[in-house]
Amino acid sequence: MAFEMVAVVGLGTMGAGIAEVFARAGLRVIGVEADADALATGRGHVERSTQRAVDRGRLSGGERDAILGRITLTTSREDLREADLVVEAIPEVLDYKRSLFADLDRICKPETVLATNTSSLPVTAIAAATGRQGRVIGMHFFNPAPVMGLVEVVSTVLTDPALVPEISELARRLGKTPVAVGDRAGFVVNRLLLPYLNQAAVLLEQGLARRDDIDAAMRLGVGLPMGPFALLDLIGLDTAYEVMGVLFDETRDRRHAPAPLLRELVSARLLGRKSGRGFHGDE
Ligand code: CAA
């Protein structure tokens, strides 16, 4: 299937980044948000991100304008009638996603692929809200979406097997490497990454080492671009906490039980970059 007209529903950090990735690859993108304020915030994300690329000499002003020109913004889901692919990037609440997918199933043409960017919810449960389970798939991007090179392509027992290579090919067209995974909590990346991040919080709480020293140890000792606390702040402590909770629920493995320190920070709404302070931000 030729994916020429795509849509992204939800233009938070991830959704706006995903819309930018599609537009950079030359696809026309419809961005959908609930209201005008959220649309303006989403547009702001894309404008800042592309402006940064212009400032660094990675894009010309003309290319940036062309990217922005390929993105149409709307508050009406009904505008998605002609989309070949819809990627959902709304908050991680199963009921919201199921209700959105039921709506998309009604609005979109029968061949439209409905994809979710969920990092923690079962794609199967989202697909089951539609009458086109074979055309529902996970397309899991990583933060920041314009930079990170991976897309996890998540298929369920209901997904049409022919769809996996089609979506993988699309991911390559976006300049990403696709990895096919099954529908289990955390897929591959979060299943391996979140226990590490959680353990970093446990060690901090135990007083094994200071925050900045743990960050430095993992950057310099392992060659990671960011230490665990800087990365938790980037991901968002609420998102990380949610994913850990899902891993724990599915595996009942104590290693996945979220560190109390993380719970405390999330309760205090110290969520990382998105709220201005998390593990870092009090310096
Ligand atoms: N949006 C767009 N572009 C961005 C960006 C953003 N938010 N942040 C950085 N960039 C771009 C910069 O413009 C720059 O581009 P060029 O090389 O083309 O000039 C490039 O990324 C490098 O940026 P910087 O030089 O400013 O900073 P850096 O070298 O420290 O890189 C980083 C920043 C890319 C975020 C890097 O630190 C990194 O890769 N960190 C790890 C991120 C990571 O692990 N993400 C996965 C999180 S897990 C997840 O997302 C899954 C989930 O479900 C929870």
Side-chain angles (χ1 to χ4, degrees), residues 66-82:
I67 290 168
L68 295 175
R70 282 195 280 275
I71 303 177
T72 309
L73 298 175
T74 178
T75 53
S76 170
R77 289 178 187 172
E78 303 294 327
D79 292 343
L80 303 186
R81 207 164 282 119
E82 294 308 315

Side-chain angles (χ1 to χ4, degrees), residues 13-14 20 24 49-50 52-53 56 58 117-120 140-148 189-190 193-194 197 225-226 231 234-235 239-240 243 273:
T13 311
M14 286 309 295
E20 179 185 334
R24 276 177 178 250
S49 176
T50 48
R52 182 194 337 218
R56 288 175 171 244
R58 306 285 193 200
N117 181 55
T118 186
S119 47
S120 62
H140 185 213
F141 291 80
F142 294 82
N143 188 4
V147 181
M148 304 310 287
V189 171
N190 284 338
L193 178 65
L194 271 296
L197 296 176
M226 289 178 150
L231 184 53
L234 175 77
I235 291 172
T239 302
V243 180
R273 285 193 191 182

Side-chain angles (χ1 to χ4, degrees), residues 1 3 110-114 123-124 127 130-138 153-168 180-181:
M1 179 171 187
F3 297 105
E111 62 272 28
T112 301
V113 175
L114 304 181
V123 179
T124 314
T130 75
R132 64 174 83 195
Q133 289 98 333
R135 311 266 320 141
V136 178
I137 198 159
V153 178
V154 187
S155 54
T156 75
V157 285
L158 303 167
T159 306
D160 174 356
L163 193 54
V164 176
E166 278 186 59
I167 293 296
S168 300
V181 299

